[in-house]
Amino acid sequence: MLSQLVAYTQKKKLGAEPGFTTKEIRWLAGVSPAGQFTELIPLDNQAKTAPDLSQPEMIGLPGYLRAQGHSVEQAAHFLADTCAVVFGLAERDAQGVVKKPQEHAKNLQKQATFRLLLELAAREVPLLQPIAQALADPEQVQDFLKKLEVQTQKKGTEKLKPTDKISFFLNGQCVLDFPDWHGWWRQFRAQAFARPEASGAMPSFATGALVTPALTHPKVTRLGGSAFGHALVTYDKEAFESYGFSQGENAAVEEQAANAYRAGLDALLEQAETLGEMKVVVWYDQEIPEEDDFFRELFAPSSEAEELQALERARTVLQAFRTGQAPPTLRNARFFAAAMSPASGRVMLRDWQTGRLEDFVAAVEAWFSDLAMVRRDGERLAAPPGLNRLFLCIQRPKTPEQTFDDYLKPIKQLQTPLWRAALNPRLPIPYAAVAKIMETHTAEVMTGAFGEALKAQKPDAASLGRIYARMGLLKAYHNRKGGYRMSAELDLNHPSPAYHCGRLMCLLAQIQEAASESDINAGVIQRYYGAASSTPSLVLGRLTRLSQHHLSKMAKDAPGLAYWFNSQLAEVWKALGKNLPRTLSLEEQSLFALGYYQQLAFSRKKSESSQEKENA
């Protein structure tokens, strides 16, 4: 993984030189050639290559400067830091009182270090002399601070915060865009943080070359959860030093490669997708056309309203691979996929997969095919759910009182297995996912929420989306088990009696609804669904006998409808045979749910078709 991240960084030319990083700059302080502050310029968080100090370097900076005869207490960054550090901007309450006086005092100490670094650099870099001169003038700094304070009172995107990063604008551009200061900064870091000699050259985990290992690695900053970043490679336990190695010698990576893998991973995390609490990234060893990159489709598939859905596009691309129509670069391309989450200042790598691009596209095609499910109207397939939405649909929606962490706890263990199943058609859908879906589904059926969502004249897209996702995942579970493969629509030849018991329950409920002027169907489902799905012989036989009375009445008032119901019942009983199952396991109950839903969609389709014929 490290070597592939380094290769990605080099291919994308991300610039991972030690001591440099990309920072988002929100503001620029204009400085004239005469050393006068001019205007405040908003930047909208533009990414700039800026000087960078690792955490150990930040800790060691005050000691080095004091050893050189300078009086400093806190470390600061060079050329770009927060408004709170550079200009001493404090966060204040409505009365103008500083909210966090201790933090403000520390920022003022950092400000002294920030000015000192600029003063030292300006002695050798003429470009920086106007900036150092302006910062050394207390009156100018105070006047510019007032401009910042006025900007803090603005609303929306114009509002300035003390934590916003600020740099300087002179000679027509941002100072960070000039290369003049690079040489001084490299020399300063080399002197201030001279690396102790390692025990000898060691094979690099990232490149395989014999290298002097970096004693510490820079932290990943784009994973979230901590402003201080997270370490991908760590070695702070005694067990890691059992062979006499210290710090980075236990996982030898040269400084250049360590910075490269961090830069590459941060760049990927900027575009990462979310799955529960995980961040998921995918990249390739070749340049891939956007239309052939199906990673985004896994999380935000094309809707059914678009001309070419994700499933059909995947099949088209896969056909090109298999017939040799795809360009050689695509045929030979490989993908790399990593799933990770923050954990106490470390990167927890939850999954790592690699393979051919063709295998990735095939996995996406199989995934959407397994999840395909007919819509409630029976007319066409529902849009496939994105992976994160599918994961969250396993249980009931989050309540306002719940934190996201608490909401995830019951299903957190399903994140990685679902991700792996999406990338490998041979892997099963976790049984625990089926158990949780059935718990949620049965509860919603018996409270009436399931029926209300399916019958609503103005459909609730979120509620229907959850139903489609759950039914699709149940179907995928059974298809991944091997043997009989279910279709997205009603399957008259399904071998499981449990499936046809679900169909029977649906028809019996519809018969009672059609025969009654009042909406008693909700009562039938809410009273009997749970028992019918677990002990069908005790419930469905009784409901079948009761339905005969309704069918007799219906035969007089609506003979066509009665005939249709009788033919459907005959088909179901033909599939069931003479005896109903006494009990159904949890897996069989999921087939019962699928039979119920697909029969309902089929009935809706037939009902609407019949209505159209009557109106013609």
Side-chain angles (χ1 to χ4, degrees):
M1 176 177 168
L2 295 182
S3 64
Q4 296 304 331
L5 285 170
V6 170
Y8 176 82
T9 301
Q10 294 169 344
K11 183 169 57 123
K12 294 295 184 179
K13 298 179 181 179
L14 297 176
E17 181 181 350
F20 296 83
T21 191
T22 300
K23 293 182 180 179
E24 292 182 348
I25 307 300
R26 179 70 178 86
W27 305 92
L28 292 178
V31 181
S32 72
Q36 301 288 319
F37 284 122
T38 56
E39 74 269 54
L40 176 64
I41 304 170
L43 270 193
D44 253 355
N45 284 332
Q46 283 191 18
K48 299 285 187 181
T49 298
D52 179 50
L53 292 176
S54 66
Q55 190 65 20
E57 290 171 340
M58 290 289 283
I59 294 171
L61 180 62
Y64 169 75
L65 291 174
R66 286 195 293 267
Q68 302 303 307
H70 305 290
S71 178
V72 296
E73 296 298 328
Q74 294 286 336
H77 289 285
F78 176 55
L79 281 186
D81 212 320
T82 64
C83 293
V85 170
V86 179
F87 289 99
L89 179 65
E91 186 178 1
R92 300 177 184 272
D93 60 21
Q95 288 71 42
V97 178
V98 175
K99 285 187 176 181
K100 301 175 182 178
Q102 290 182 335
E103 183 177 317
H104 179 54
K106 187 179 292 186
N107 285 333
L108 293 178
Q109 291 177 333
K110 293 179 180 180
Q111 183 189 68
T113 306
F114 185 88
R115 293 179 181 176
L116 173 61
L117 291 176
L118 257 168
E119 179 187 334
L120 294 174
R123 295 175 186 176
E124 300 181 29
V125 184
L127 172 75
L128 304 181
Q129 289 172 3
I131 302 174
Q133 181 180 336
L135 287 174
D137 186 339
E139 185 175 342
Q140 277 205 70
V141 172
Q142 193 62 32
D143 288 343
F144 199 79
L145 177 59
K146 291 178 182 178
K147 290 185 178 182
L148 300 181
E149 289 173 341
V150 169
Q151 201 69 32
T152 63
Q153 304 306 311
K154 298 292 181 68
K155 302 294 184 182
T157 57
E158 293 185 355
K159 183 180 178 64
L160 182 147
K161 295 179 289 187
T163 53
D164 287 348
K165 289 186 174 61
I166 190 169
S167 191
F168 304 94
F169 182 87
L170 74 166
N171 296 345
Q173 65 185 88
C174 174
V175 67
L176 297 175
D177 295 333
F178 288 96
D180 305 47
W181 54 269
H182 290 186
W184 180 86
W185 178 243
R186 293 185 184 102
Q187 184 179 13
F188 174 81
R189 285 187 67 253
Q191 292 173 347
F193 313 110
R195 274 36 176 190
E197 289 296 325
S199 57
M202 305 175 72
S204 169
F205 277 59
T207 63
L210 288 176
V211 300
T212 299
L215 293 184
T216 59
H217 293 202
K219 291 188 176 182
V220 175
T221 61
R222 297 290 186 260
L223 187 56
S226 171
F228 300 104
H230 301 82
L232 179 62
V233 179
T234 60
Y235 24 69
D236 62 346
K237 299 293 185 292
E238 287 187 12
F240 299 158
E241 300 181 1
S242 56
Y243 289 94
F245 297 135
S246 64
Q247 293 186 288
E249 293 176 341
N250 293 280
V253 178
E254 64 273 38
E255 187 180 32
Q256 185 74 27
N259 279 271
Y261 83 64
R262 189 275 298 267
L265 189 51
D266 271 343
L268 288 166
L269 286 169
E270 287 279 8
Q271 305 298 323
E273 296 289 350
T274 300
L275 178 54
E277 64 175 1
M278 300 192 312
K279 295 288 187 182
V280 181
V281 296
V282 169
W283 71 100
Y284 311 92
D285 65 351
Q286 308 283 344
E287 288 296 331
I288 303 299
E290 186 176 347
E291 62 271 17
D292 295 330
D293 183 359
F294 284 89
F295 172 53
R296 303 294 167 207
E297 297 284 4
L298 275 176
F299 290 86
S302 305
S303 70
E304 73 266 15
E306 298 184 18
E307 288 187 12
L308 197 57
Q309 296 183 38
L311 177 58
E312 294 305 318
R313 289 205 305 108
R315 286 173 175 167
T316 301
V317 174
L318 199 57
Q319 181 67 13
F321 274 116
R322 292 171 177 171
T323 58
Q325 297 174 353
T329 53
L330 287 185
R331 292 201 298 271
N332 298 324
R334 296 185 65 80
F335 76 91
F336 309 99
M340 61 199 75
S341 59
S344 302
R346 294 174 174 81
V347 177
M348 179 180 288
L349 185 63
R350 294 182 175 272
D351 190 50
W352 165 248
Q353 297 191 49
T354 180
R356 299 183 305 160
L357 175 62
E358 180 180 347
D359 296 334
F360 184 83
V361 178
V364 173
E365 187 271 340
W367 179 250
F368 286 146
S369 179
D370 283 337
L371 290 176
M373 182 54 57
V374 67
R375 289 166 51 94
R376 65 171 184 163
D377 57 12
E379 292 293 337
R380 59 186 186 277
L381 299 183
L387 190 53
N388 189 52
R389 185 162 68 87
L390 177 73
F391 169 66
L392 297 178
C393 284
I394 290 174
Q395 60 180 349
R396 295 185 187 184
K398 187 177 84 68
T399 63
E401 297 77 23
Q402 282 180 302
T403 66
F404 190 64
D405 285 344
D406 287 340
Y407 176 67
L408 283 184
K409 281 180 182 177
I411 57 173
K412 187 181 292 188
Q413 75 279 8
L414 297 174
Q415 297 170 123
T416 306
L418 271 183
W419 166 243
R420 290 173 177 166
L423 288 196
N424 189 339
R426 295 181 295 277
L427 289 180
I429 304 298
Y431 177 80
V434 174
K436 192 63 184 176
I437 287 175
M438 291 309 302
E439 174 190 323
T440 303
H441 169 73
T442 304
E444 290 192 353
V445 170
M446 297 179 70
T447 60
F450 179 78
E452 289 173 8
L454 291 176
K455 291 164 54 178
Q457 292 295 320
K458 294 183 178 180
D460 179 351
S463 297
L464 285 177
R466 284 191 291 272
I467 292 173
Y468 298 151
R470 290 168 186 163
M471 294 298 109
L473 195 55
L474 292 180
K475 169 175 160 277
Y477 171 81
H478 290 283
N479 282 356
R480 293 284 177 102
K481 285 185 68 179
Y484 189 83
R485 288 190 61 82
M486 294 188 65
S487 66
E489 301 178 276
L490 182 65
D491 187 350
L492 301 180
N493 298 313
H494 199 289
S496 172
Y499 179 84
H500 298 289
C501 284
R503 293 181 59 205
L504 180 60
M505 181 69 194
C506 177
L507 289 168
L508 295 176
Q510 289 177 324
I511 289 169
Q512 293 209 31
E513 180 181 16
S516 175
E517 295 180 358
S518 61
D519 185 10
I520 65 170
N521 179 49
V524 170
I525 295 301
Q526 291 174 35
R527 280 183 290 164
Y528 296 115
Y529 183 93
S533 65
S534 57
T535 55
S537 63
L538 294 179
V539 179
L540 295 180
R542 178 187 171 198
L543 291 178
T544 298
R545 290 190 295 273
L546 290 173
S547 71
Q548 297 306 307
H549 167 73
H550 296 300
L551 286 172
S552 297
K553 180 182 176 183
M554 196 184 300
K556 299 176 183 177
D557 302 331
L561 184 60
Y563 175 81
W564 186 84
F565 274 125
N566 275 312
S567 64
Q568 289 294 297
L569 288 173
E571 282 186 353
V572 172
W573 281 108
K574 180 181 178 181
L576 279 170
K578 294 183 179 180
N579 298 315
L580 289 167
R582 293 174 61 87
T583 60
L584 297 180
S585 66
L586 185 64
E587 284 190 6
E588 290 171 325
Q589 289 175 42
S590 69
L591 288 170
F592 182 100
L594 285 165
Y596 179 96
Y597 173 78
Q598 290 184 331
Q599 179 66 51
L600 180 64
F602 176 79
S603 299
R604 288 262 177 89
K605 181 179 179 180
K606 290 298 181 182
S607 175
E608 291 176 3
S609 299
S610 300
Q611 188 66 40
E612 288 175 1
K613 289 179 181 179
E614 290 180 10
N615 295 335

